[in-house]
Amino acid sequence: MARVVVDVMLKPEILDPQGQAVQRALPRLGFSGITDVRQGKRFELEVEGPVDAAALARIREMAETFLANTVIEDFDVRVQS
Amino acid sequence: MARVVVDVMLKPEILDPQGQAVQRALPRLGFSGITDVRQGKRFELEVEGPVDAAALARIREMAETFLANTVIEDFDVRVQS
Amino acid sequence: MTARIGVVTFPGSLDDRDARRAVQLAGAEPVALWHRDKDLRQVDAVVLPGGFSYGDYLRAGAIARFSPVMETVIAGARDGLPVLGICNGFQVLCESHLLPGALTRNDHLHFVCRDQRLRIENATTAWTSSYRPDQEIVIPLKNGEGGYVADERTLDMLEAEGRVVARYLELNPNGSRRDIAGVTNEAGNVVGLMPHPEHAVESLTGPGLDGLGFFTSVLKRLVNA
Amino acid sequence: MTTDAGTASERVSTTIDTVKRAVDTPGLAQPWAELGLKRDEYDRIREILGRRPTGAELAMYSVMWSEHCSYKSSKVHLRQFGEKAPPSDALLVGIGENAGVVDVGQGYAVTFKVESHNHPSYVEPYQGAATGVGGIVRDILAMGARPVAVMDPLRFGAADHPDTRRVLPGVVAGVGGYGNCLGLPNIGGEVVFDPCYQGNPLVNALCVGVMRHEDIHLAKASGVGNKVILYGARTGGDGIGGVSVLASETFADPSAAGTRPAKRPAVQVGDPFQEKLLIECTLEVFREKLVVGIQDLGGAGLSCATSELASAGSGGMRVELDSVPLRDATLSPEEILMSESQERMCAVVEPDKVERFLEICEKWDVLATVIGEVTDGDRLEIHWRGEQIVDVPPRTVAHEGPVYQRPYARPVWQDALQADDPAKLSRPGTPEELREAVLSLVASPNQASKSWITSQYDRYVLGNTVLAQPEDSGMIRVDEETNLGVALATDGNGRYAKLDPYTGAQLALAEAYRNVAASGATPLAVTNCLNFGSPEDPAAMWQFAEACRGLADACLALGTPVTGGNVSFYNQTGEVAIHPTPVVGVLGVIDDVTRRTPMGFTGEGDLLFLLGD
Ligand SMILES: Nc1ncnc2c1ncn2[C@@H]1O[C@H](COP(=O)(O)OP(=O)(O)O)[C@@H](O)[C@H]1O
């Protein structure tokens, strides 16, 4: 059983109200020195069988068509070591 | 400027309806071989200055008290290379 | 002199006006409290109203918990100040660790607004003494993150100590563990409730008058005190 | 870095398309066609200015003269709503402002309007619908009113089409996500499925707001020396796909090129929390009477807000574009002017009230910046890095755009369509066939309960909802002491309108009117959202002209004036237009909401009457 992680983040040019809300709250909580916060999603997929090139290609397709909304989001797929 | 990533995932014993909804949808979309899906959050923090042990400790505290709700969530902090 | 009940407005609070109206209809004096003020203006009880404080962007209630007013509310609650958290207010109370557990995304992943039947399981708290034990009431419910969760040990403890204040009947609208709609702290002065009693205080605008009891309960307690 | 780049200031002056440069380089080729302008429109701009426009001016004219902002194809038909308007004492502000305002008695005024966000909602259903709600709410707020409820007339393709699975849940979640987070009860709407909307769903959003008569605010800048304040969200590169052409041409600074994002987002993302703060903050500055004029930023962003404010006011306006707080430092001045970043407003404030205005914004965590002032001239001047990049008569941008008499013609197929009447359909003859017919009728998605949708909307918040789903009209209590209230209904039937656009529009009005009347309220005023195909298609234009004529005639007959509305053209997939879909909203007033008439039976023994024939 292997784990594949898919990270989905809003594209850099797209407004991220969630990340902004977190960032604005930080100074009030006494945390300084954070100049930007972006909030996205992390999916952990448990994959049956070997995670070979074919499996990764399938997961990439899944990320592209389903896990991410590529109109506004970018994604990244990687096998967790 | 360095980037620190904080991953926040629901604890394994806590029901994850979002992950389950994704998992249930996969076969319908023609994706098989995924036995479990968990969905969590990924924060990307841009940090001013060096990310030394002290800075990381501060961010870990921020994750523990704020970014994650440790009643139901685990978190992981790492510097992005 | 009637009791003064404060209603906190956080940025993004929505049902604060409704909560003040409910307080008034119950016969108490509503006092508007502002999230940036630590001063509770000598109120006798506090309502944390529903809404989307700070957009609920991180987790519902997670940012509001750190507001100045909450410092005083948390300290007061520990000293016995009656505090009612409705919906977002319940989320704030859990995030503040005044109440155990947490509220997560509804299991069906949709926002839900419906008239909800509940059973009052504990009619001895500061906010439920106007009800009969096991009384069934109908009040509106509206949330996107209303699934109550806690570990088994905590759930067992809540049950054993009678700290489940209200339970969903007929339909569990959000996947809450053990159909829990509301819980209280050990002392019974702090209550968190997912459904909205403040929307059931006038027959014209709600499903009935079943919600009024929460506000008359605290009034009774304050006047008798 | 090139060695001949010179000092920073020299370099800047060679890369900014200033008014001076425009005068000096009259022959410079400009991408007017890429920006959607026609040759004669571009020529007219040159004529107005007496020179070629700068890049920033070209950006402003192109967006303000677009169909969406200028109503250039619809204006000649919309005029009837004013010309044929029935006399009404109730109208306090008529067509031409952000939204009309109606007197509902006891010193209260109500403003309401419906607007479309169809195309964005197809591309990105959630954000498209969410920002549609956000936009109409700001329109209502800008009139001086507290928004008190929303409604959402929706049209989707076939219920069982795979793409409807993407569009419908996204749109519903977006309407709910935004409206719920603003704390506005959703008191009604429509859901209709028809294959004609498959590639072009309709997402119309209505908002209604309440104010005291004396609180009415208008979008105009007057009073020399008054400050122009931009407040709300920072400006990002949202919704400016088109102007990127300009940016790449005029922003030829090699050092800047590499740092600009590769692509500007065409999708706008809404931030309802920011909008909620904007509402509370705006109502507070109204309450303290700090505002001379106000405009929300919607389509065409700052271009629209500054030119409309200046155009409607008495003086000119000067804006320092460098003061605009940016989310993306690489934006060019053209892009800043065009950006459709959401959750922003623009106010004109007397100098001695600026401090208090900014204080209130700070109280609500709303960013506010003085970006300019009202001048005694009659020009809108915009500066960037010390250079003048815009110098135009604002009326020519905002209110004197092109007006088209588009050719229209009754389509050749209209007769055949009308002749194809139900008499030709086979009738169920046997009990078995009757059963089939009834079953297929009740199984039709258009008859189905809409609670899957409406249960995702908060109908209780604010505590004044007297009627909401599943009632045919929504009703809101306006005054808790006197029980004064208003009722609202929207209706529209694309199939009727396709058969006969004139009568179809009238039927839409009649239905909404009946719904309001049946609730116990007296209908007072009308808004509409006219969803049609391409105005360049004579058949679609005919449908539009007929619908306007029908609606105006019916409004006259019923004595309810149109107070505002919105036109959405180009609703088509390829060459195939949607059914013409005029959505009509009716507002009524009721003296005592406790005497409302709900739809259902309320007591045993109630009698049932049938009225009419
Ligand atoms: N179908 C319509 N019926 C009546 N008035 C309309 C209609 N469409 C637009 N209007 C009016 O035209 C004016 C300009 O349109 P408006 O919607 O304000 O543009 P914007 O997109 O800038 O808000 C408004 O007063 C509006 O009410």
Side-chain angles (χ1 to χ4, degrees):
Chain A
M1 193 73 71
R3 173 175 294 172
V4 174
V5 173
V6 180
D7 289 324
V8 176
M9 301 296 292
L10 283 169
K11 294 185 180 184
E13 68 270 19
I14 297 275
L15 174 71
D16 174 11
Q18 309 195 73
Q20 290 203 342
V22 170
Q23 195 194 342
R24 273 199 303 265
L26 290 177
R28 259 189 294 121
L29 309 185
F31 297 108
S32 60
I34 308 288
T35 57
D36 192 27
V37 179
R38 308 278 294 172
Q39 179 176 337
K41 295 177 197 149
R42 173 185 167 96
F43 296 91
E44 295 181 355
L45 314 177
E46 304 300 327
V47 184
E48 214 167 46
V51 183
D52 49 18
L56 267 181
R58 258 179 35 243
I59 293 176
R60 232 172 248 123
E61 193 198 328
M62 180 193 308
E64 169 131 28
T65 55
F66 181 53
L67 298 180
N69 174 355
T70 52
V71 176
I72 53 174
E73 293 169 328
D74 291 328
F75 65 89
D76 180 55
V77 175
R78 70 200 131 75
V79 186
Q80 195 166 56
S81 42
Chain B
M1 193 74 74
R3 172 176 294 172
V4 175
V5 173
V6 180
D7 290 323
V8 175
M9 301 297 292
L10 284 169
K11 294 188 176 178
E13 67 271 23
I14 299 281
L15 178 74
D16 172 14
Q18 305 194 82
Q20 290 203 340
V22 169
Q23 196 193 339
R24 271 197 308 270
L26 290 179
R28 249 194 299 124
L29 304 177
F31 298 108
S32 60
I34 308 290
T35 58
D36 191 28
V37 178
R38 308 278 297 169
Q39 178 175 339
K41 295 177 196 152
R42 173 187 166 93
F43 297 90
E44 295 181 354
L45 314 177
E46 304 299 328
V47 185
E48 216 167 43
V51 183
D52 48 19
L56 268 181
R58 259 181 33 242
I59 293 176
R60 235 174 245 119
E61 192 199 329
M62 182 193 308
E64 170 131 27
T65 55
F66 182 52
L67 297 180
N69 176 353
T70 53
V71 174
I72 50 169
E73 293 168 328
D74 292 326
F75 66 89
D76 178 56
V77 175
R78 70 200 131 75
V79 185
Q80 193 167 58
S81 42
Chain C
M1 265 299 284
T2 177
R4 289 161 53 84
I5 301 182
V7 177
V8 176
T9 298
F10 299 104
S13 290
L14 305 179
D15 302 303
D16 43 347
R17 297 211 289 172
D18 303 66
R20 292 202 298 269
R21 182 192 296 112
V23 163
Q24 181 126 38
L25 288 170
E29 180 191 343
V31 178
L33 300 176
W34 181 240
H35 70 112
R36 278 193 196 168
D37 294 337
K38 286 190 189 171
D39 180 7
L40 294 189
R41 304 175 56 193
Q42 283 145 10
V43 295
D44 304 301
V46 169
V47 177
L48 306 180
F52 291 76
S53 57
Y54 296 93
D56 275 0
Y57 283 139
L58 175 58
R59 283 180 313 279
I63 301 181
R65 164 208 170 182
F66 290 101
S67 57
V69 75
M70 283 308 295
E71 270 180 47
T72 332
V73 170
I74 291 171
R78 299 219 157 101
D79 290 341
L81 177 76
V83 178
L84 173 65
I86 303 168
C87 195
N88 195 230
F90 187 8
Q91 292 156 340
V92 173
L93 291 176
C94 287
E95 286 284 341
S96 309
H97 307 301
L98 282 174
L99 292 174
L103 292 144
T104 58
R105 258 320 261 287
N106 293 349
D107 57 351
H108 46 78
L109 303 179
H110 297 294
F111 186 94
V112 57
C113 175
R114 68 191 305 270
D115 296 344
Q116 178 71 43
R117 181 169 294 273
L118 305 175
R119 185 170 53 233
I120 302 294
E121 302 264 308
N122 178 340
T124 64
T125 75
W127 299 89
T128 52
S129 61
S130 290
Y131 296 99
R132 280 175 280 110
D134 292 337
Q135 184 173 341
E136 293 188 8
I137 64 172
V138 176
I139 62 179
L141 168 117
K142 38 172 219 179
N143 65 64
E145 297 185 30
Y148 184 76
V149 297
D151 57 38
E152 290 298 322
R153 217 172 36 92
T154 306
L155 293 170
D156 289 341
M157 172 202 65
L158 289 174
E159 305 269 12
E161 297 178 4
R163 287 168 55 189
V164 174
V165 171
R167 235 184 271 270
Y168 298 117
L169 294 181
E170 288 168 8
L171 178 142
N172 181 334
N174 46 30
S176 288
R177 301 297 313 277
R178 305 194 191 178
D179 301 330
I180 291 174
V183 298
T184 182
N185 65 347
E186 261 181 281
N189 62 314
V190 179
V191 168
L193 187 71
M194 227 340 105
H196 290 258
E198 82 283 17
H199 290 323
V201 295
E202 288 183 283
S203 52
L204 184 68
T205 54
L209 302 177
D210 287 354
L212 210 50
F214 284 88
F215 305 94
T216 54
S217 298
V218 72
L219 185 60
K220 210 165 62 185
R221 162 153 164 164
L222 292 170
V223 172
N224 291 344
Chain D
M1 184 70 61
T2 48
T3 46
D4 60 353
T7 65
S9 66
E10 269 173 65
R11 192 172 72 235
V12 162
S13 64
T14 59
T15 55
I16 298 177
D17 194 25
T18 62
V19 170
K20 182 169 173 305
R21 180 161 173 260
V23 172
D24 292 346
T25 56
L28 187 83
Q30 293 190 284
W32 48 267
E34 286 93 323
L35 291 169
L37 287 166
K38 298 279 187 290
R39 172 91 239 179
D40 56 329
E41 291 173 342
Y42 177 67
D43 289 343
R44 209 182 126 211
I45 297 169
R46 295 192 67 126
E47 194 185 312
I48 289 168
L49 298 176
R51 56 173 165 79
R52 76 161 174 88
T54 64
E57 289 166 341
L58 189 61
M60 288 183 85
Y61 278 105
S62 70
V63 62
M64 290 301 291
W65 286 11
S66 69
E67 185 66 58
H68 179 67
C69 292
S70 72
Y71 290 84
K72 58 190 170 189
S73 304
S74 55
K75 245 182 196 160
V76 293
H77 300 282
L78 297 179
R79 269 185 204 137
Q80 300 169 76
F81 296 139
E83 289 159 5
K84 293 187 198 166
S88 163
D89 301 335
L91 210 57
L92 298 175
V93 174
I95 293 182
E97 286 292 331
N98 281 313
V101 181
V102 181
D103 179 9
V104 295
Q106 298 177 12
Y108 286 104
V110 165
T111 177
F112 74 126
K113 185 175 170 186
V114 57
E115 240 178 32
S116 65
H117 225 214
N118 304 339
H119 301 117
S121 301
Y122 182 65
V123 178
E124 208 324 90
Y126 184 97
Q127 295 297 344
T131 53
V133 173
I136 189 66
V137 167
R138 284 193 303 281
D139 264 352
I140 294 307
L141 178 63
M143 295 306 298
R146 173 178 278 281
V148 294
V150 294
M151 301 175 89
D152 59 327
L154 308 176
R155 303 289 183 279
F156 299 106
D160 55 2
H161 190 287
D163 200 42
T164 304
R165 277 189 105 112
R166 170 185 75 95
V167 175
L168 185 147
V171 164
V172 170
V175 170
Y178 207 98
N180 294 342
C181 190
L182 284 189
L184 293 178
N186 186 304
I187 59 164
E190 298 165 67
V191 184
V192 175
F193 298 96
D194 189 298
C196 77
Y197 304 112
Q198 199 64 61
N200 196 119
L202 302 186
V203 176
N204 293 179
L206 179 150
C207 181
V208 54
V210 174
M211 67 192 121
R212 303 293 299 173
H213 284 189
E214 60 272 20
D215 291 337
I216 296 175
H217 280 74
L218 299 180
K220 64 173 196 208
S222 46
V224 175
N226 285 348
K227 301 296 180 190
V228 180
I229 299 180
L230 177 67
Y231 65 111
R234 286 174 181 273
T235 298
D238 314 61
I240 51 176
V243 240
S244 308
V245 215
L246 264 179
S248 52
E249 297 218 348
T250 59
F251 215 97
D253 180 349
S255 64
T259 61
R260 291 169 53 79
K263 212 171 114 215
R264 297 298 187 195
V267 176
Q268 300 137 28
V269 171
D271 180 352
F273 170 58
Q274 176 73 243
E275 180 123 326
K276 168 69 178 166
L277 299 183
L278 206 56
I279 293 174
E280 297 305 332
C281 166
T282 302
L283 291 172
E284 197 161 328
V285 300
F286 285 158
R287 222 177 294 136
E288 296 199 12
K289 312 233 173 294
L290 303 178
V291 174
V292 175
I294 189 156
Q295 174 68 302
D296 60 298
L297 275 72
L302 267 175
S303 294
C304 177
T306 55
S307 64
E308 287 196 348
L309 279 168
S311 170
S314 48
M317 185 185 286
R318 187 174 50 240
V319 171
E320 299 296 337
L321 211 53
D322 307 84
S323 317
V324 173
L326 300 181
R327 198 172 85 225
D328 171 353
T330 67
L331 288 177
S332 70
E334 292 86 352
E335 291 172 318
I336 297 169
L337 282 169
M338 309 269 290
S339 162
E340 298 193 342
S341 286
Q342 302 290 297
E343 291 96 20
R344 297 178 298 163
M345 306 273 286
C346 202
V348 177
V349 179
E350 289 170 13
D352 59 342
K353 296 188 171 155
V354 167
E355 193 183 331
R356 180 65 190 140
F357 187 102
L358 297 180
E359 249 172 48
I360 292 175
C361 289
E362 199 278 331
K363 168 181 168 189
W364 288 101
D365 288 323
V366 169
L367 183 66
T369 317
V370 175
I371 61 162
E373 64 179 31
V374 178
T375 59
D376 59 2
D378 55 1
R379 311 286 288 188
L380 170 61
E381 298 171 65
I382 300 180
H383 295 257
W384 171 254
R385 309 219 167 131
E387 307 271 357
Q388 189 181 43
I389 57 165
V390 170
D391 180 13
V392 297
R395 283 202 70 80
T396 64
V397 179
H399 293 109
E400 290 164 2
V403 176
Y404 289 149
Q405 298 272 358
R406 299 266 193 205
Y408 56 90
R410 188 168 196 267
V412 288
W413 42 259
Q414 195 75 29
D415 285 334
L417 187 68
Q418 290 187 347
D420 197 11
D421 66 24
K424 298 215 177 99
L425 294 176
S426 70
R427 302 250 156 184
T430 65
E432 209 23 60
E433 282 169 8
L434 203 56
R435 181 172 180 276
E436 281 297 301
V438 170
L439 283 180
S440 73
L441 204 65
V442 297
S444 145
N446 284 324
Q447 300 300 325
S449 159
K450 305 302 185 301
S451 62
W452 186 85
I453 291 168
T454 54
S455 69
Q456 297 185 47
Y457 301 151
D458 182 349
R459 62 182 177 275
Y460 286 113
V461 63
L462 298 182
N464 285 313
T465 306
V466 177
L467 297 176
Q469 60 87 10
E471 300 286 339
D472 280 342
S473 64
M475 188 179 286
I476 291 287
R477 177 173 62 186
V478 168
D479 188 296
E480 296 185 27
E481 246 94 78
T482 67
N483 283 327
L484 176 72
V486 295
L488 275 150
T490 73
D491 281 293
N493 186 320
R495 290 165 68 99
Y496 289 169
K498 178 146 189 189
L499 275 172
D500 182 345
Y502 179 87
T503 316
Q506 298 195 320
L507 285 171
L509 172 64
E511 187 174 353
Y513 188 99
R514 281 197 307 272
N515 287 336
V516 165
S519 73
T522 307
L524 276 188
V526 172
T527 183
N528 62 61
C529 188
L530 305 174
N531 305 278
F532 286 77
S534 165
E536 296 160 45
D537 168 9
M541 202 58 212
W542 174 80
Q543 294 172 328
F544 180 76
E546 282 296 282
C548 288
R549 194 169 65 84
L551 184 58
D553 287 349
C555 284
L556 182 58
L558 291 177
T560 46
V562 172
T563 62
N566 169 248
V567 176
S568 173
F569 279 134
Y570 299 103
N571 292 289
Q572 55 194 39
T573 311
E575 293 294 296
V576 184
I578 59 162
H579 293 339
T581 312
V583 169
V584 179
V586 171
L587 172 93
V589 64
I590 176 165
D591 290 343
D592 181 357
V593 289
T594 64
R595 300 180 54 197
R596 77 216 177 274
T597 327
M599 281 192 327
F601 302 123
T602 43
E604 212 177 298
D606 287 353
L607 294 180
L608 203 57
F609 292 90
L610 177 65
L611 304 183
D613 49 22

